[in-house]
Amino acid sequence: MRLANLLIILFLPLCSAGQVSVDSLERLMNQAQGEEQLNLMIRIGNIYSKSDPEKSLEYGLKAAFIAKRVGNQLYEGQALLLMGLSSLNSGQQENALRYYNRALTHFEKANQSEEQIIALDGISRVYSLARNYELATRYLERALDISKQLNKPKQQIELHQRIGDIALEQKNYSLAFNEFSMVLSILESNSRLDAAGLKQKAKSLRQLGYVYRNLGQFDESLTAYRNASKIDEQLQLPAQQMKDNAEIAFSFFLMQKYDSALVHYNRVLGFYQLQNDSVSMIGILRSIGDVFFELEQYRQAVASYNQSFSIAQLVGNVQEQVASLVNISRCYSAFNDYPSSKDYLNKALELATRENLTNSAADVYMYLSQVNEAEGKHVQALDYYKMWAELRDSIYSEESGQKLARMQILYEITQKERENEILKQNSEIQDLQLTKTRYQRLVFIAIALSLFILLVFFALYFSFKQREFIKQKETELRIVELNKELEKRMISEIKKQEKQQHLLAQKSKLESLGTLAAGIAHEINQPLGGISMGLDNILIKLDEKNYTETYLKEKMNLIFNNVDRIKRIIDHVRTFSRTQKPSSFERVNINEVVSNSLSMVSTQFRNQGVEFDVQLAPTMDQVIGDKFKLEQVVLNLLNNAKFAVDEKAERINNPSFIKKIYINTWTDQSNVFLTVKDNGIGIKPKDVEKIFDPFFTTKKADKGTGLGLSISYSIIKDLLGEIRVESKEDEFTRFEIVIPKT
C-alpha cells in the first residue's frame, strides 16, 4: 500500500491533474484529515512542481510540518522529496541537494529501500546539473545496488540508462557501452516486450550505435542503427525511423561509402519535404553538402549548403545560418577562390557576433586564420588565430569558473549536512550517556543484592555439587568399564564378520570352479592327448627300429612341453582355489588376468557353442591388486554372461542365434578399463539396482547363490575402482570395470 501511494504521489501527478482539477483536489484537501490530507497535499504539490515550483515548495513544507507533528515518517520523507523536486525545478540546486540528503537520511533510518532509490536519483540529478558527473554516477550506482536487491528490472533499466547518459556527457564511451549493453541484456531477457519496452530497446540500440561510432567501430554502429530502425518500423514510428536512417547515412559517410550515404540522406530529405518539416531539412541538406564536399563535387555541395542557409533564414535559426556560410566558405577555399571564401566567413562572423554566438564566432576566426594562411597572408592569419585563442580562453575560463562555483557550493552543502548529522548524533550520544549512568546505578544496586544472595546460597550449592561430583565420577568409571567391554565385543563381532566375508568369497570362488570343472578337464585333456600320441609314435618307431636321435629329442620335448602345460593349469587352479590373504596386493596386468581366466573356461564355453570376441589393448599399464581376486571377478562376469546367452538361446529356440561374449581392455591417462558384454537375455530395469546386493539372483536355486556380483563389487571397491552395468532386456548386458592405475 505504501509503495502504491508513493508511485501515485511521485510519478503520476500529471495524469492526476488530467483526471481531477487542482481546485477540486484543494477543496478535498481542506476537508480531509490525517493521512488523506497529507496524501492530497503532496499530490497537489507534485502537480505544481513544474508549472509553479514555489507553490509546490509551500505544499511540501506544510506537508513536512504536519507529518512531523503527527509522527508519520512515510509522508515526512515524501514531503522532503517533494521539496527537493520543487527546488530542483526552480533552479535552487543547493536547496534541492539539502532536501534530498535529508530525505535519504530519513529513509535510511526507516529502512525504506524503494524511497532511498528516489532520493539517491534526486541527488544524482542535482550533481548532474552541476556537471559533477563523478558524484552523480556514484549516487546512481548506490541506487542501482538497492534496486538489484529488490529485483526491480524496470527500475534497473532506468538507472542503467541514466548512468549511460552521464557517461556520454563525460565522453566515457566504455562505461556508456557497458550501461547500454546492460539495458539491452535486461530487455532481451523478456521474450514478450510491450510497445514501451520495444521503444526502450530501440533507444538503447541508437545509443550503442553512437558509442560504437565514437569508438571507431563503424560496422557495429551501422548494425545497431539498422536494428533500431527495424523496431521503429515495427512500431509504425516513421519520424523516428527517418532519424535512424539519417544516422545510418552518417555511418556510411564515416565509412567513406558516400553513394550509400547519399541514398539514405535523400530518402530522409524526401520524407521531411513531404512533412513540410523545414527545421529537420536544414541538418539533412548540410549533411548532403558534406557528402558532396568529400566527393570533391563542390558545386553540388554549395547548392546543398545554400538550400540549408535559405531554410535556416526562413525559420530564424542563426546558428545554422552561420554553419552553412562557413561550409560554403570551405567549398570556395577548395576552389582556391579565397576572396569569396573570406566574404562568406565575414558574413558568418557578423551574424555570430550580432547574436552573441561566442563558440560559433571562435570557429569562424579559426577558419579565417586558415584561409589567410592558405592565401599566403600570414600576418592576418596570425591575428585571426590570436582572436580565436583569446575567445576560446575566455569561454573556457567562464565555463570553468561557473562549474567550480557550483561544485564548491554543492560541496559546502554536503559538508554542512554531514556536520549537522554528526552534531545530531553527538546529542543523541549524550542523552544515551545520561540514561546509561542512571541505569548503571540501578544495576550496581541490583548486582550487590544479587551477590549477597549468591553468597548465602553458595555454601549449600558447593556442598550439593561436591556430592554430585562424586556420584558423577563413579558413574563415569562405570561407563568407561562398559565402553571397554562393548569395544571388545565390537572387535570380536567385526572379526567374525570379516571371517564370514572371506568364507563367502571362498564359497563363490569354489562355486565358480565347480561350474568350470568340465572346462578345466577339457584344458587338461588336450595336452594329455598330445602326450599319448607322442608316446605311441615313439613305440612304433622303436618297433620298426626306424628312429633317429633328433626325432626322439623332438618327441620328448613335445611331451615335456605338454606335461609343463598340464602342470601350469593345475598349479593355477590350485592357487586360484585356495584361500587368499586380504593383503596380497601386487602389480597386476589386466590383460594377463583376462588370459588366465579364459584359459580355464574357453574350451568349455566353445564346446557349448559360445563364441568369444576378445580385443585386448596391446600395451596396458599395471594396477595394484590381488591377481586371483581379479580373476574371480572376471570368471563371475563370464559365468553370468554364459548363463545369459544360454537362457536366450533356450528361450528363442532359433538355430541361427550365435551366443557371443565380447571382452575389451583399454586405458586412459588415469584408469584401466575392462568390459564384458554378452548378447543374452539382459536385465530387467527393476532389477538393475539390486544386482550387486548379496544373495540377490534371478537364477534358479540350483544355478547360483547370488554372491558372485556382490563379492565382485566388494573386490573392485577395495581397489578404489568402479563396476558399472548397462543392460537392455532381451538384447545385451555390458559390465565395465574401472581401476585406477598404479
Side-chain angles (χ1 to χ4, degrees):
M1 186 63 188
R2 186 185 68 187
L3 177 58
N5 287 336
L6 188 64
L7 290 173
I8 291 169
I9 292 166
L10 296 175
F11 297 107
L12 300 177
L14 296 178
C15 294
S16 302
Q19 292 170 4
V20 182
S21 70
V22 178
D23 293 338
S24 300
L25 289 174
E26 287 178 336
R27 283 195 298 273
L28 288 171
M29 179 193 71
N30 293 327
Q31 296 169 4
Q33 297 290 330
E35 287 190 3
E36 186 181 356
Q37 186 183 38
L38 283 170
N39 190 322
L40 289 166
M41 194 174 292
I42 295 172
R43 184 175 173 185
I44 295 167
N46 274 281
I47 294 172
Y48 281 122
S49 62
K50 286 188 178 179
S51 60
D52 191 348
E54 294 297 329
K55 197 165 187 178
S56 174
L57 183 60
E58 287 179 17
Y59 277 106
L61 287 167
K62 287 180 184 177
F65 176 76
I66 295 170
K68 193 168 188 66
R69 190 181 64 193
V70 300
N72 192 315
Q73 293 186 352
L74 174 63
Y75 282 107
E76 183 182 352
Q78 292 171 5
L80 287 168
L81 288 177
L82 174 58
M83 291 157 67
L85 178 63
S86 304
S87 300
L88 186 64
N89 288 340
S90 61
Q92 299 175 17
Q93 295 175 14
E94 300 88 349
N95 290 336
L97 185 61
R98 185 180 296 111
Y99 291 133
Y100 278 130
N101 271 313
R102 285 175 60 188
L104 178 61
T105 305
H106 180 87
F107 292 135
E108 284 175 342
K109 286 181 179 178
N111 197 25
Q112 294 169 318
S113 301
E114 295 177 8
E115 291 81 354
Q116 288 177 43
I117 294 172
I118 299 167
L120 288 165
D121 181 63
I123 295 170
S124 168
R125 291 180 188 279
V126 176
Y127 281 122
S128 184
L129 285 172
R131 297 188 180 180
N132 190 338
Y133 298 124
E134 183 180 352
L135 276 176
T137 302
R138 193 182 304 168
Y139 279 97
L140 283 173
E141 286 173 345
R142 281 178 61 186
L144 185 60
D145 289 339
I146 298 171
S147 182
K148 287 178 180 177
Q149 292 171 9
L150 297 175
N151 192 21
K152 301 281 187 181
K154 288 186 178 179
Q155 196 174 60
Q156 291 169 39
I157 288 171
E158 293 173 8
L159 293 169
H160 280 299
Q161 181 70 47
R162 292 260 293 109
I163 295 171
D165 291 339
I166 291 172
L168 288 182
E169 288 284 338
Q170 294 177 282
K171 293 184 170 51
N172 185 347
Y173 297 115
S174 53
L175 175 60
F177 174 80
N178 291 337
E179 296 303 319
F180 296 139
S181 296
M182 283 301 301
V183 172
L184 274 182
S185 176
I186 296 170
L187 288 168
E188 288 171 354
S189 65
N190 184 355
S191 58
R192 300 181 65 182
L193 290 175
D194 57 11
L198 288 171
K199 283 182 183 178
Q200 178 63 54
K201 184 175 180 180
K203 179 181 177 182
S204 300
L205 285 167
R206 281 191 288 274
Q207 288 173 314
L208 275 175
Y210 180 77
V211 170
Y212 279 129
R213 179 188 296 162
N214 284 279
L215 291 172
Q217 300 176 19
F218 302 130
D219 287 329
E220 289 82 354
S221 175
L222 182 63
T223 302
Y225 280 121
R226 279 178 165 167
N227 289 335
S229 178
K230 288 177 183 175
I231 294 173
D232 291 328
E233 184 179 7
Q234 178 185 345
L235 294 172
Q236 296 181 354
L237 300 172
Q240 185 58 61
Q241 192 180 358
M242 287 303 111
K243 290 180 182 178
D244 294 336
N245 270 274
E247 297 294 345
I248 291 167
F250 188 51
S251 297
F252 279 124
F253 177 79
L254 293 173
M255 296 163 69
Q256 298 182 355
K257 296 180 178 180
Y258 300 120
D259 291 339
S260 298
L262 276 176
V263 169
H264 283 81
Y265 277 135
N266 283 318
R267 183 182 302 163
V268 177
L269 181 61
F271 175 81
Y272 288 142
Q273 286 172 338
L274 288 172
Q275 298 293 319
N276 198 22
D277 186 353
S278 301
V279 176
S280 300
M281 287 168 61
I282 296 170
I284 299 301
L285 284 166
R286 180 158 42 79
S287 297
I288 292 172
D290 291 341
V291 175
F292 283 128
F293 186 87
E294 292 297 326
L295 291 170
E296 298 181 2
Q297 298 176 17
Y298 301 117
R299 295 188 185 283
Q300 291 92 324
V302 169
S304 294
Y305 292 140
N306 270 320
Q307 280 184 276
S308 176
F309 176 75
S310 299
I311 298 172
Q313 276 186 314
L314 273 173
V315 298
N317 190 331
V318 180
Q319 195 161 358
E320 283 294 342
Q321 292 175 47
V322 173
S324 298
L325 289 169
V326 169
N327 285 325
I328 294 169
S329 165
R330 289 171 58 222
C331 294
Y332 280 106
S333 181
F335 286 141
N336 297 326
D337 185 354
Y338 301 118
S340 298
S341 177
K342 286 192 286 186
D343 286 342
Y344 280 101
L345 286 174
N346 286 322
K347 288 179 184 177
L349 182 60
E350 182 184 349
L351 279 171
T353 307
R354 187 182 69 204
E355 298 295 331
N356 199 24
L357 300 175
T358 312
N359 286 314
S360 298
D363 292 338
V364 174
Y365 280 131
M366 174 55 74
Y367 281 116
L368 280 167
S369 174
Q370 292 173 355
V371 172
N372 278 286
E373 186 178 3
E375 199 176 6
K377 296 180 179 180
H378 301 292
V379 175
Q380 292 90 329
L382 180 60
D383 290 338
Y384 282 122
Y385 185 81
K386 287 178 180 177
M387 292 179 191
W388 171 81
E390 288 173 4
L391 198 54
R392 291 304 299 175
D393 288 343
S394 68
I395 294 168
Y396 178 75
S397 299
E398 185 181 349
E399 289 179 351
S400 299
Q402 291 174 354
K403 182 178 179 181
L404 285 172
R406 284 194 298 268
M407 289 177 66
Q408 182 65 29
I409 290 168
L410 292 176
Y411 174 76
E412 289 173 359
I413 290 168
T414 305
Q415 289 298 106
K416 285 179 182 177
E417 289 291 331
R418 289 178 182 172
E419 289 171 6
N420 290 336
E421 187 65 27
I422 291 168
L423 288 172
K424 189 176 179 181
Q425 289 176 357
N426 287 338
S427 176
E428 291 174 355
I429 289 168
Q430 288 176 358
D431 291 340
L432 287 171
Q433 287 288 356
L434 291 171
T435 306
K436 180 181 176 183
T437 304
R438 287 195 295 270
Y439 278 113
Q440 281 176 343
R441 290 175 184 173
L442 293 172
V443 169
F444 178 76
I445 295 169
I447 289 172
L449 289 171
S450 300
L451 286 172
F452 178 75
I453 295 168
L454 285 172
L455 287 171
V456 170
F457 289 102
F458 184 71
L460 295 172
Y461 177 76
F462 180 76
S463 174
F464 174 76
K465 291 303 290 183
Q466 279 291 103
R467 290 195 297 272
E468 287 290 319
F469 181 74
I470 293 167
K471 288 181 181 179
Q472 185 179 355
K473 281 290 181 183
E474 292 174 354
T475 305
E476 286 176 356
L477 287 173
R478 286 199 298 272
I479 290 171
V480 169
E481 291 298 324
L482 288 171
N483 282 338
K484 286 181 180 179
E485 183 64 27
L486 181 62
E487 188 176 338
K488 288 178 183 178
R489 289 174 63 185
M490 285 178 65
I491 292 169
S492 174
E493 289 297 324
I494 289 169
K495 286 181 179 179
K496 287 180 182 178
Q497 186 177 3
E498 287 178 351
K499 187 174 180 181
Q500 288 173 352
Q501 287 178 345
H502 286 305
L503 288 171
L504 286 173
Q506 189 65 15
K507 181 180 185 304
S508 174
K509 188 186 294 185
L510 293 174
E511 181 183 305
S512 299
L513 278 176
T515 306
L516 304 175
I520 295 167
H522 279 294
E523 293 293 333
I524 294 173
N525 277 334
Q526 189 175 355
L528 280 175
I531 293 169
S532 176
M533 188 179 295
L535 290 172
D536 287 341
N537 288 336
I538 291 170
L539 289 173
I540 291 168
K541 290 290 185 180
L542 287 173
D543 287 341
E544 295 176 354
K545 296 182 180 181
N546 182 19
Y547 60 89
T548 62
E549 187 174 348
T550 302
Y551 173 78
L552 288 176
K553 283 182 179 181
E554 287 179 0
K555 289 298 181 182
M556 293 304 292
N557 284 334
L558 178 64
I559 291 168
F560 280 119
N561 285 338
N562 284 322
V563 170
D564 285 341
R565 183 177 172 189
I566 293 169
K567 183 179 178 184
R568 283 197 304 273
I569 292 170
I570 293 170
D571 285 345
H572 188 77
V573 171
R574 185 174 62 234
T575 308
F576 174 78
S577 62
R578 73 187 178 192
T579 304
Q580 301 296 323
K581 295 179 181 179
S583 60
S584 59
F585 288 111
E586 58 184 339
R587 294 183 180 275
V588 180
N589 187 306
I590 289 295
N591 284 352
E592 184 181 339
V593 169
V594 173
S595 299
N596 290 341
S597 302
L598 288 172
S599 70
M600 289 188 276
V601 300
S602 57
T603 303
Q604 178 189 4
F605 279 31
R606 287 194 180 96
N607 288 342
Q608 295 182 22
V610 179
E611 294 186 8
F612 287 99
D613 185 340
V614 183
Q615 302 288 335
L616 304 182
T619 56
M620 287 290 285
D621 293 310
Q622 293 181 324
V623 298
I624 296 295
D626 188 320
K627 179 171 67 175
F628 298 103
K629 286 186 177 181
L630 286 171
E631 288 178 13
Q632 182 178 357
V633 172
V634 175
L635 285 172
N636 282 335
L637 296 179
L638 291 174
N639 275 334
N640 285 345
K642 180 178 179 297
F643 171 79
V645 295
D646 286 345
E647 282 288 309
K648 186 171 182 178
E650 182 180 342
R651 185 183 297 176
I652 64 176
N653 194 20
N654 186 354
S656 63
F657 173 66
I658 300 173
K659 299 184 282 187
K660 293 199 75 170
I661 299 175
Y662 305 85
I663 304 172
N664 295 310
T665 62
W666 73 94
T667 65
D668 63 12
Q669 291 183 347
S670 53
N671 298 306
V672 171
F673 297 85
L674 164 66
T675 60
V676 176
K677 179 181 177 182
D678 63 72
N679 62 343
I681 58 173
I683 304 171
K684 294 179 179 179
K686 66 183 180 66
D687 294 335
V688 170
E689 294 181 359
K690 306 176 188 175
I691 58 172
F692 295 113
D693 294 345
F695 302 106
F696 177 80
T697 180
T698 57
K699 301 176 185 177
K700 296 178 182 178
D702 59 342
K703 293 290 183 73
T705 60
L707 286 172
L709 284 178
S710 174
I711 290 168
S712 299
Y713 182 85
S714 299
I715 292 169
I716 298 302
K717 282 296 178 182
D718 287 344
L719 302 180
L720 304 179
E722 291 184 61
I723 180 167
R724 307 165 182 159
V725 62
E726 180 185 0
S727 182
K728 191 169 183 181
E729 195 172 359
D730 293 327
E731 289 192 21
F732 72 92
T733 299
R734 180 178 179 272
F735 284 90
E736 181 180 72
I737 295 171
V738 185
I739 304 174
K741 293 181 181 178
T742 58

